[in-house]
Amino acid sequence: MGRTSDARDKILSAARTLIEQRGYTALGVAEICAAAGVPKGSFYHFFESKQALALTVINEHWTEQRRQWIELLGRDRPPLQRLRDLFEATETVQRVGQQDGGKVVGCLFGNLALELSTQADDVQRRLQEIFDAQIELIEKVVAEAHERGETAATVDTHDAARSIVAQLEGRVLFAKLLNDPGQLEAMWRNCLALLGARPLQEGAGSPR
Amino acid sequence: MGRTSDARDKILSAARTLIEQRGYTALGVAEICAAAGVPKGSFYHFFESKQALALTVINEHWTEQRRQWIELLGRDRPPLQRLRDLFEATETVQRVGQQDGGKVVGCLFGNLALELSTQADDVQRRLQEIFDAQIELIEKVVAEAHERGETAATVDTHDAARSIVAQLEGRVLFAKLLNDPGQLEAMWRNCLALLGARPLQEGAGSPR
């Protein structure tokens, strides 16, 4: 089975794919190990339980996604344009996932929030922290746009950031249900509307 | 076990509660029958499979929710006020659910969309129809508001209705994850922003 670190990585990678495709509850440790191509005995060498594995999958996915969000939202571009970049990158991620596996898998955090948050307290707490961190990253950019007078003057930046993340989760839900990444195309219009902002490089008018 | 119709109702009621609390995948037929207090043999008298039961739970829940939506959205009140009534009723449903079972259970359709839509084609199709029907019910009211000049002139009524339902699903996801029905309080502001509408009976200003 190669180096032990390989086995851990293989288990994590297989678990993430299986959780995205079929959720957490449906999976057993034996199946994860079979998909990873590692002996079942090695699982408990790396993870205390299936739930500990799920938390590690969540944390590694957030490490990766957070890096992408910080890169996109920290660019030297106008703030609203950076939000647009984030939505386009999210659509691309869903499109690539669909091309790879045939189906839009949606947002790992949203999926697990609905599947597990009434059952697994530590998963619930971690997902709360991750959504808070997403809201905070977006709020910084919204605050920049607000200072530049590019949002409605009355916008509450924290509330607006939360509304944008809620809209993103709702749109990703539709993308998964309809197996259509194009459901995310409206995010940009929705974001402008939620901020009371005007479209970039376009005349006055929608969505006001 | 009483009349057979009682047994069917008991199975449906137990299944809905268990699916709301723990999702579909985690449940077995034996557990559903135990919770319903009916012999396991009677299950297959009423339902071909667990998936057939899930579809019936979905359909019965939609029959009930659709009746409520039509009542609220068909009232003799200004259209935007009717949308507000709908959001308040949704918050109340989540609050009552929390009082009854200790936890916000969220939206049965959203939960199952994320849990099952990549796995069970007939559940996926039915949920697509239900969300389409929700969007259509909201679009009618948005179109009335649009005709009265109460939305931005440029609003696409269908697109706006879809955005409102997406925001509702995202907000319900937060309500479930945070076990806080108050996450739905922002729906009204979000809806006005998505429509480019002004608050009712209030001065100019937020959310524009």
Side-chain angles (χ1 to χ4, degrees), chain A residues 79-135:
Chain A
L80 292 178
Q81 185 61 53
R82 281 176 263 154
L83 291 177
R84 185 177 201 166
D85 293 343
L86 178 69
F87 305 141
E88 286 178 357
T90 304
E91 187 182 334
T92 300
V93 165
Q94 294 299 329
R95 214 171 275 286
V96 168
Q98 186 190 40
Q99 282 160 3
D100 288 350
K103 298 208 170 167
V104 168
V105 294
C107 166
L108 181 71
F109 307 132
N111 295 347
L112 291 174
L114 294 195
E115 188 183 351
L116 286 187
S117 66
T118 50
Q119 298 176 71
D121 287 349
D122 50 357
V123 170
Q124 180 176 22
R125 269 192 303 274
R126 186 65 188 124
L127 293 173
Q128 289 171 355
E129 289 167 1
I130 288 170
F131 279 111
D132 278 348
Q134 288 188 346
I135 290 165

Short mmCIF file of all heavy atoms in Angstrom, two decimals, chain A residues 79-135:
data_model
loop_
_atom_site.label_atom_id
_atom_site.label_comp_id
_atom_site.label_asym_id
_atom_site.label_seq_id
_atom_site.Cartn_x
_atom_site.Cartn_y
_atom_site.Cartn_z
N PRO A 79 -13.77 45.91 -6.23
CA PRO A 79 -14.35 44.91 -5.33
C PRO A 79 -15.52 44.13 -5.94
O PRO A 79 -15.59 42.90 -5.80
CB PRO A 79 -14.79 45.72 -4.10
CG PRO A 79 -14.66 47.16 -4.48
CD PRO A 79 -13.67 47.24 -5.59
N LEU A 80 -16.43 44.81 -6.62
CA LEU A 80 -17.58 44.08 -7.16
C LEU A 80 -17.12 43.08 -8.23
O LEU A 80 -17.69 41.99 -8.35
CB LEU A 80 -18.62 45.05 -7.74
CG LEU A 80 -19.34 45.94 -6.71
CD1 LEU A 80 -20.31 46.90 -7.41
CD2 LEU A 80 -20.09 45.09 -5.69
N GLN A 81 -16.08 43.46 -8.97
CA GLN A 81 -15.56 42.54 -9.99
C GLN A 81 -14.97 41.29 -9.34
O GLN A 81 -15.09 40.18 -9.87
CB GLN A 81 -14.50 43.27 -10.81
CG GLN A 81 -13.96 42.45 -11.98
CD GLN A 81 -15.05 42.07 -12.97
OE1 GLN A 81 -15.78 42.95 -13.45
NE2 GLN A 81 -15.21 40.79 -13.25
N ARG A 82 -14.38 41.46 -8.15
CA ARG A 82 -13.82 40.30 -7.45
C ARG A 82 -14.93 39.35 -7.00
O ARG A 82 -14.76 38.12 -7.03
CB ARG A 82 -13.01 40.76 -6.24
CG ARG A 82 -11.64 41.27 -6.63
CD ARG A 82 -10.92 41.80 -5.40
NE ARG A 82 -11.05 43.24 -5.30
CZ ARG A 82 -11.00 43.92 -4.15
NH1 ARG A 82 -10.85 43.30 -3.00
NH2 ARG A 82 -11.11 45.23 -4.16
N LEU A 83 -16.08 39.91 -6.59
CA LEU A 83 -17.21 39.03 -6.24
C LEU A 83 -17.67 38.27 -7.49
O LEU A 83 -17.95 37.07 -7.43
CB LEU A 83 -18.36 39.86 -5.65
CG LEU A 83 -18.09 40.48 -4.28
CD1 LEU A 83 -19.27 41.34 -3.84
CD2 LEU A 83 -17.84 39.39 -3.23
N ARG A 84 -17.71 38.98 -8.61
CA ARG A 84 -18.11 38.32 -9.85
C ARG A 84 -17.15 37.17 -10.18
O ARG A 84 -17.57 36.08 -10.60
CB ARG A 84 -18.12 39.34 -10.98
CG ARG A 84 -18.64 38.78 -12.28
CD ARG A 84 -18.69 39.85 -13.35
NE ARG A 84 -19.61 39.46 -14.40
CZ ARG A 84 -20.08 40.29 -15.33
NH1 ARG A 84 -19.74 41.57 -15.32
NH2 ARG A 84 -20.91 39.86 -16.25
N ASP A 85 -15.85 37.42 -10.00
CA ASP A 85 -14.85 36.37 -10.25
C ASP A 85 -15.12 35.13 -9.38
O ASP A 85 -14.99 34.00 -9.83
CB ASP A 85 -13.44 36.89 -9.93
CG ASP A 85 -12.98 37.97 -10.90
OD1 ASP A 85 -13.58 38.11 -11.98
OD2 ASP A 85 -12.02 38.70 -10.56
N LEU A 86 -15.51 35.38 -8.12
CA LEU A 86 -15.78 34.28 -7.20
C LEU A 86 -16.98 33.44 -7.69
O LEU A 86 -16.93 32.20 -7.67
CB LEU A 86 -16.06 34.81 -5.80
CG LEU A 86 -16.40 33.76 -4.75
CD1 LEU A 86 -15.18 32.90 -4.42
CD2 LEU A 86 -16.94 34.40 -3.48
N PHE A 87 -18.02 34.12 -8.14
CA PHE A 87 -19.20 33.37 -8.61
C PHE A 87 -18.87 32.57 -9.87
O PHE A 87 -19.30 31.44 -10.04
CB PHE A 87 -20.38 34.32 -8.88
CG PHE A 87 -20.73 35.19 -7.71
CD1 PHE A 87 -21.10 36.53 -7.89
CD2 PHE A 87 -20.69 34.70 -6.42
CE1 PHE A 87 -21.42 37.34 -6.81
CE2 PHE A 87 -21.01 35.50 -5.33
CZ PHE A 87 -21.37 36.83 -5.54
N GLU A 88 -18.07 33.19 -10.74
CA GLU A 88 -17.70 32.47 -11.97
C GLU A 88 -16.83 31.27 -11.66
O GLU A 88 -16.98 30.20 -12.27
CB GLU A 88 -16.99 33.43 -12.95
CG GLU A 88 -17.99 34.39 -13.57
CD GLU A 88 -17.35 35.41 -14.52
OE1 GLU A 88 -16.10 35.41 -14.64
OE2 GLU A 88 -18.10 36.20 -15.12
N ALA A 89 -15.93 31.42 -10.68
CA ALA A 89 -15.08 30.29 -10.30
C ALA A 89 -15.93 29.17 -9.68
O ALA A 89 -15.69 27.99 -9.93
CB ALA A 89 -14.01 30.74 -9.31
N THR A 90 -16.95 29.55 -8.91
CA THR A 90 -17.84 28.56 -8.30
C THR A 90 -18.60 27.79 -9.39
O THR A 90 -18.72 26.56 -9.34
CB THR A 90 -18.84 29.25 -7.35
OG1 THR A 90 -18.11 30.00 -6.38
CG2 THR A 90 -19.72 28.24 -6.64
N GLU A 91 -19.06 28.52 -10.39
CA GLU A 91 -19.76 27.86 -11.50
C GLU A 91 -18.80 26.90 -12.23
O GLU A 91 -19.18 25.78 -12.58
CB GLU A 91 -20.32 28.92 -12.46
CG GLU A 91 -21.19 28.32 -13.54
CD GLU A 91 -21.71 29.36 -14.52
OE1 GLU A 91 -21.82 30.54 -14.15
OE2 GLU A 91 -21.99 28.98 -15.68
N THR A 92 -17.57 27.34 -12.42
CA THR A 92 -16.58 26.50 -13.10
C THR A 92 -16.32 25.22 -12.31
O THR A 92 -16.26 24.13 -12.89
CB THR A 92 -15.26 27.28 -13.30
OG1 THR A 92 -15.54 28.43 -14.11
CG2 THR A 92 -14.22 26.42 -14.00
N VAL A 93 -16.18 25.35 -10.99
CA VAL A 93 -15.96 24.17 -10.15
C VAL A 93 -17.10 23.16 -10.34
O VAL A 93 -16.88 21.95 -10.49
CB VAL A 93 -15.84 24.57 -8.66
CG1 VAL A 93 -15.97 23.36 -7.74
CG2 VAL A 93 -14.52 25.29 -8.40
N GLN A 94 -18.34 23.65 -10.35
CA GLN A 94 -19.49 22.76 -10.52
C GLN A 94 -19.52 22.15 -11.92
O GLN A 94 -19.90 21.00 -12.10
CB GLN A 94 -20.80 23.50 -10.22
CG GLN A 94 -20.94 23.94 -8.76
CD GLN A 94 -20.92 22.78 -7.76
OE1 GLN A 94 -21.36 21.67 -8.06
NE2 GLN A 94 -20.39 23.02 -6.57
N ARG A 95 -19.11 22.94 -12.90
CA ARG A 95 -19.10 22.45 -14.29
C ARG A 95 -18.04 21.36 -14.46
O ARG A 95 -18.29 20.33 -15.11
CB ARG A 95 -18.84 23.63 -15.23
CG ARG A 95 -19.54 23.54 -16.56
CD ARG A 95 -19.41 24.84 -17.36
NE ARG A 95 -20.40 25.84 -17.03
CZ ARG A 95 -21.68 25.79 -17.40
NH1 ARG A 95 -22.13 24.76 -18.11
NH2 ARG A 95 -22.52 26.75 -17.05
N VAL A 96 -16.88 21.57 -13.88
CA VAL A 96 -15.80 20.59 -13.97
C VAL A 96 -16.21 19.30 -13.23
O VAL A 96 -16.01 18.19 -13.74
CB VAL A 96 -14.48 21.16 -13.38
CG1 VAL A 96 -13.44 20.08 -13.19
CG2 VAL A 96 -13.94 22.27 -14.28
N GLY A 97 -16.83 19.47 -12.07
CA GLY A 97 -17.32 18.30 -11.33
C GLY A 97 -18.32 17.50 -12.15
O GLY A 97 -18.29 16.27 -12.16
N GLN A 98 -19.19 18.22 -12.85
CA GLN A 98 -20.18 17.54 -13.69
C GLN A 98 -19.50 16.80 -14.84
O GLN A 98 -19.87 15.67 -15.17
CB GLN A 98 -21.17 18.57 -14.24
CG GLN A 98 -22.32 17.97 -15.02
CD GLN A 98 -23.12 19.04 -15.74
OE1 GLN A 98 -22.57 19.99 -16.31
NE2 GLN A 98 -24.43 18.90 -15.74
N GLN A 99 -18.50 17.43 -15.44
CA GLN A 99 -17.79 16.77 -16.54
C GLN A 99 -17.05 15.53 -16.06
O GLN A 99 -17.03 14.51 -16.75
CB GLN A 99 -16.79 17.75 -17.19
CG GLN A 99 -17.49 18.75 -18.12
CD GLN A 99 -16.65 20.00 -18.38
OE1 GLN A 99 -15.52 20.11 -17.91
NE2 GLN A 99 -17.21 20.95 -19.12
N ASP A 100 -16.50 15.61 -14.85
CA ASP A 100 -15.73 14.47 -14.33
C ASP A 100 -16.63 13.31 -13.94
O ASP A 100 -16.33 12.15 -14.21
CB ASP A 100 -14.93 14.90 -13.08
CG ASP A 100 -13.76 15.80 -13.45
OD1 ASP A 100 -13.47 15.93 -14.66
OD2 ASP A 100 -13.15 16.39 -12.54
N GLY A 101 -17.74 13.63 -13.24
CA GLY A 101 -18.52 12.54 -12.66
C GLY A 101 -19.93 12.40 -13.23
O GLY A 101 -20.69 11.54 -12.80
N GLY A 102 -20.29 13.26 -14.18
CA GLY A 102 -21.61 13.15 -14.82
C GLY A 102 -22.70 13.93 -14.11
O GLY A 102 -23.75 14.19 -14.67
N LYS A 103 -22.45 14.32 -12.86
CA LYS A 103 -23.49 15.02 -12.11
C LYS A 103 -22.90 16.18 -11.32
O LYS A 103 -21.77 16.10 -10.82
CB LYS A 103 -24.17 14.06 -11.12
CG LYS A 103 -24.85 12.91 -11.85
CD LYS A 103 -26.02 12.34 -11.11
CE LYS A 103 -26.78 11.38 -12.02
NZ LYS A 103 -27.73 10.55 -11.33
N VAL A 104 -23.68 17.25 -11.22
CA VAL A 104 -23.30 18.36 -10.36
C VAL A 104 -23.39 17.88 -8.91
O VAL A 104 -24.44 17.39 -8.49
CB VAL A 104 -24.26 19.56 -10.58
CG1 VAL A 104 -24.06 20.62 -9.50
CG2 VAL A 104 -24.05 20.16 -11.96
N VAL A 105 -22.30 17.99 -8.17
CA VAL A 105 -22.30 17.45 -6.81
C VAL A 105 -22.65 18.50 -5.76
O VAL A 105 -22.89 18.18 -4.60
CB VAL A 105 -20.95 16.79 -6.43
CG1 VAL A 105 -20.72 15.55 -7.29
CG2 VAL A 105 -19.80 17.77 -6.55
N GLY A 106 -22.68 19.76 -6.15
CA GLY A 106 -23.08 20.80 -5.21
C GLY A 106 -21.98 21.19 -4.26
O GLY A 106 -20.80 20.95 -4.52
N CYS A 107 -22.39 21.78 -3.14
CA CYS A 107 -21.45 22.30 -2.15
C CYS A 107 -21.33 21.28 -1.02
O CYS A 107 -22.32 20.94 -0.37
CB CYS A 107 -21.98 23.63 -1.61
SG CYS A 107 -21.15 24.19 -0.11
N LEU A 108 -20.10 20.79 -0.79
CA LEU A 108 -19.89 19.80 0.28
C LEU A 108 -20.42 20.29 1.62
O LEU A 108 -21.03 19.53 2.38
CB LEU A 108 -18.39 19.50 0.38
CG LEU A 108 -17.96 18.46 1.42
CD1 LEU A 108 -18.37 17.06 1.00
CD2 LEU A 108 -16.44 18.51 1.66
N PHE A 109 -20.21 21.58 1.90
CA PHE A 109 -20.62 22.12 3.20
C PHE A 109 -22.15 22.22 3.29
O PHE A 109 -22.73 21.90 4.32
CB PHE A 109 -19.98 23.49 3.44
CG PHE A 109 -18.49 23.49 3.26
CD1 PHE A 109 -17.85 24.45 2.49
CD2 PHE A 109 -17.71 22.50 3.85
CE1 PHE A 109 -16.47 24.44 2.32
CE2 PHE A 109 -16.33 22.48 3.68
CZ PHE A 109 -15.71 23.46 2.91
N GLY A 110 -22.77 22.67 2.23
CA GLY A 110 -24.24 22.76 2.22
C GLY A 110 -24.86 21.37 2.31
O GLY A 110 -25.83 21.14 3.05
N ASN A 111 -24.30 20.43 1.54
CA ASN A 111 -24.82 19.05 1.58
C ASN A 111 -24.79 18.50 3.01
O ASN A 111 -25.77 17.95 3.51
CB ASN A 111 -23.98 18.13 0.69
CG ASN A 111 -24.07 18.48 -0.79
OD1 ASN A 111 -24.93 19.26 -1.21
ND2 ASN A 111 -23.17 17.93 -1.59
N LEU A 112 -23.62 18.65 3.65
CA LEU A 112 -23.47 18.08 4.99
C LEU A 112 -24.24 18.87 6.03
O LEU A 112 -24.70 18.32 7.03
CB LEU A 112 -21.98 17.97 5.36
CG LEU A 112 -21.21 16.93 4.55
CD1 LEU A 112 -19.72 17.00 4.85
CD2 LEU A 112 -21.73 15.51 4.82
N ALA A 113 -24.42 20.17 5.80
CA ALA A 113 -25.23 20.97 6.73
C ALA A 113 -26.65 20.42 6.78
O ALA A 113 -27.23 20.27 7.85
CB ALA A 113 -25.24 22.44 6.31
N LEU A 114 -27.21 20.11 5.61
CA LEU A 114 -28.59 19.61 5.61
C LEU A 114 -28.65 18.14 6.04
O LEU A 114 -29.60 17.73 6.68
CB LEU A 114 -29.24 19.80 4.24
CG LEU A 114 -29.47 21.25 3.82
CD1 LEU A 114 -30.43 21.33 2.65
CD2 LEU A 114 -29.99 22.10 4.97
N GLU A 115 -27.61 17.38 5.71
CA GLU A 115 -27.66 15.95 6.05
C GLU A 115 -27.37 15.70 7.53
O GLU A 115 -27.98 14.84 8.16
CB GLU A 115 -26.66 15.16 5.19
CG GLU A 115 -26.82 13.64 5.37
CD GLU A 115 -25.81 12.81 4.59
OE1 GLU A 115 -25.07 13.38 3.77
OE2 GLU A 115 -25.79 11.59 4.83
N LEU A 116 -26.44 16.46 8.09
CA LEU A 116 -25.90 16.08 9.41
C LEU A 116 -26.13 17.07 10.54
O LEU A 116 -25.89 16.74 11.69
CB LEU A 116 -24.39 15.85 9.30
CG LEU A 116 -23.96 14.57 8.62
CD1 LEU A 116 -22.46 14.42 8.76
CD2 LEU A 116 -24.66 13.36 9.26
N SER A 117 -26.56 18.31 10.22
CA SER A 117 -26.45 19.31 11.29
C SER A 117 -27.42 19.08 12.44
O SER A 117 -27.23 19.63 13.52
CB SER A 117 -26.56 20.73 10.74
OG SER A 117 -27.82 20.99 10.23
N THR A 118 -28.45 18.24 12.25
CA THR A 118 -29.29 17.94 13.40
C THR A 118 -28.78 16.72 14.17
O THR A 118 -29.38 16.31 15.15
CB THR A 118 -30.75 17.68 12.98
OG1 THR A 118 -30.74 16.73 11.91
CG2 THR A 118 -31.42 18.96 12.51
N GLN A 119 -27.67 16.12 13.73
CA GLN A 119 -27.24 14.84 14.31
C GLN A 119 -25.84 14.84 14.88
O GLN A 119 -25.58 14.14 15.85
CB GLN A 119 -27.28 13.75 13.22
CG GLN A 119 -28.65 13.51 12.65
CD GLN A 119 -28.58 12.50 11.53
OE1 GLN A 119 -28.35 11.33 11.76
NE2 GLN A 119 -28.76 12.95 10.31
N ALA A 120 -24.92 15.55 14.24
CA ALA A 120 -23.51 15.45 14.65
C ALA A 120 -23.04 16.83 15.08
O ALA A 120 -22.75 17.69 14.26
CB ALA A 120 -22.67 14.92 13.49
N ASP A 121 -22.94 17.02 16.40
CA ASP A 121 -22.65 18.35 16.93
C ASP A 121 -21.32 18.92 16.46
O ASP A 121 -21.22 20.12 16.17
CB ASP A 121 -22.66 18.32 18.47
CG ASP A 121 -24.06 18.20 19.02
OD1 ASP A 121 -25.01 18.35 18.23
OD2 ASP A 121 -24.21 17.96 20.24
N ASP A 122 -20.28 18.08 16.39
CA ASP A 122 -18.99 18.67 16.02
C ASP A 122 -18.93 19.02 14.54
O ASP A 122 -18.29 20.00 14.16
CB ASP A 122 -17.80 17.80 16.47
CG ASP A 122 -17.95 16.35 16.07
OD1 ASP A 122 -18.99 16.00 15.48
OD2 ASP A 122 -17.01 15.57 16.32
N VAL A 123 -19.62 18.23 13.70
CA VAL A 123 -19.72 18.60 12.28
C VAL A 123 -20.50 19.91 12.15
O VAL A 123 -20.10 20.83 11.42
CB VAL A 123 -20.40 17.48 11.47
CG1 VAL A 123 -20.73 17.95 10.05
CG2 VAL A 123 -19.52 16.23 11.42
N GLN A 124 -21.60 20.01 12.87
CA GLN A 124 -22.42 21.22 12.83
C GLN A 124 -21.60 22.46 13.23
O GLN A 124 -21.61 23.47 12.53
CB GLN A 124 -23.61 21.05 13.79
CG GLN A 124 -24.54 22.26 13.82
CD GLN A 124 -25.75 22.02 14.71
OE1 GLN A 124 -25.73 21.18 15.60
NE2 GLN A 124 -26.82 22.76 14.46
N ARG A 125 -20.86 22.35 14.34
CA ARG A 125 -20.05 23.50 14.78
C ARG A 125 -19.01 23.89 13.75
O ARG A 125 -18.79 25.07 13.48
CB ARG A 125 -19.34 23.16 16.11
CG ARG A 125 -20.15 23.54 17.35
CD ARG A 125 -19.28 23.47 18.60
NE ARG A 125 -18.71 22.13 18.79
CZ ARG A 125 -19.33 21.13 19.42
NH1 ARG A 125 -20.53 21.31 19.92
NH2 ARG A 125 -18.75 19.95 19.54
N ARG A 126 -18.35 22.90 13.16
CA ARG A 126 -17.30 23.20 12.18
C ARG A 126 -17.92 23.87 10.95
O ARG A 126 -17.35 24.82 10.40
CB ARG A 126 -16.57 21.90 11.80
CG ARG A 126 -15.37 22.13 10.90
CD ARG A 126 -14.29 22.92 11.62
NE ARG A 126 -13.21 23.31 10.72
CZ ARG A 126 -12.81 24.57 10.54
NH1 ARG A 126 -13.36 25.56 11.19
NH2 ARG A 126 -11.83 24.84 9.70
N LEU A 127 -19.07 23.38 10.52
CA LEU A 127 -19.71 23.99 9.34
C LEU A 127 -20.17 25.41 9.66
O LEU A 127 -20.08 26.31 8.81
CB LEU A 127 -20.89 23.13 8.88
CG LEU A 127 -20.52 21.76 8.30
CD1 LEU A 127 -21.78 20.93 8.04
CD2 LEU A 127 -19.72 21.90 7.00
N GLN A 128 -20.63 25.65 10.89
CA GLN A 128 -20.99 27.01 11.29
C GLN A 128 -19.77 27.94 11.16
O GLN A 128 -19.87 29.04 10.63
CB GLN A 128 -21.50 27.04 12.73
CG GLN A 128 -22.88 26.40 12.92
CD GLN A 128 -23.25 26.24 14.39
OE1 GLN A 128 -22.45 26.52 15.28
NE2 GLN A 128 -24.47 25.79 14.65
N GLU A 129 -18.63 27.45 11.64
CA GLU A 129 -17.40 28.27 11.56
C GLU A 129 -17.02 28.55 10.11
O GLU A 129 -16.59 29.66 9.78
CB GLU A 129 -16.23 27.53 12.24
CG GLU A 129 -16.33 27.45 13.76
CD GLU A 129 -15.35 26.45 14.36
OE1 GLU A 129 -14.57 25.83 13.59
OE2 GLU A 129 -15.37 26.28 15.59
N ILE A 130 -17.16 27.54 9.27
CA ILE A 130 -16.76 27.72 7.87
C ILE A 130 -17.68 28.72 7.17
O ILE A 130 -17.22 29.62 6.45
CB ILE A 130 -16.75 26.35 7.14
CG1 ILE A 130 -15.55 25.53 7.63
CG2 ILE A 130 -16.69 26.54 5.62
CD1 ILE A 130 -15.55 24.08 7.18
N PHE A 131 -18.99 28.61 7.39
CA PHE A 131 -19.90 29.59 6.76
C PHE A 131 -19.64 30.99 7.32
O PHE A 131 -19.69 31.97 6.59
CB PHE A 131 -21.36 29.17 6.92
CG PHE A 131 -21.81 28.14 5.90
CD1 PHE A 131 -22.11 26.84 6.26
CD2 PHE A 131 -21.90 28.48 4.55
CE1 PHE A 131 -22.50 25.89 5.32
CE2 PHE A 131 -22.28 27.55 3.60
CZ PHE A 131 -22.59 26.25 3.99
N ASP A 132 -19.35 31.08 8.63
CA ASP A 132 -18.99 32.40 9.19
C ASP A 132 -17.75 32.97 8.50
O ASP A 132 -17.68 34.16 8.22
CB ASP A 132 -18.72 32.28 10.70
CG ASP A 132 -20.00 32.30 11.52
OD1 ASP A 132 -21.06 32.62 10.95
OD2 ASP A 132 -19.94 31.98 12.72
N ALA A 133 -16.77 32.09 8.26
CA ALA A 133 -15.53 32.55 7.61
C ALA A 133 -15.82 32.99 6.17
O ALA A 133 -15.27 33.99 5.69
CB ALA A 133 -14.49 31.43 7.63
N GLN A 134 -16.69 32.27 5.48
CA GLN A 134 -17.07 32.68 4.11
C GLN A 134 -17.74 34.05 4.13
O GLN A 134 -17.44 34.93 3.31
CB GLN A 134 -18.04 31.66 3.50
CG GLN A 134 -17.40 30.33 3.12
CD GLN A 134 -18.35 29.44 2.33
OE1 GLN A 134 -19.56 29.68 2.29
NE2 GLN A 134 -17.82 28.40 1.72
N ILE A 135 -18.65 34.22 5.09
CA ILE A 135 -19.38 35.49 5.19
C ILE A 135 -18.39 36.62 5.48
O ILE A 135 -18.48 37.71 4.90
CB ILE A 135 -20.47 35.38 6.28
CG1 ILE A 135 -21.59 34.44 5.79
CG2 ILE A 135 -21.05 36.76 6.63
CD1 ILE A 135 -22.55 33.98 6.89
#
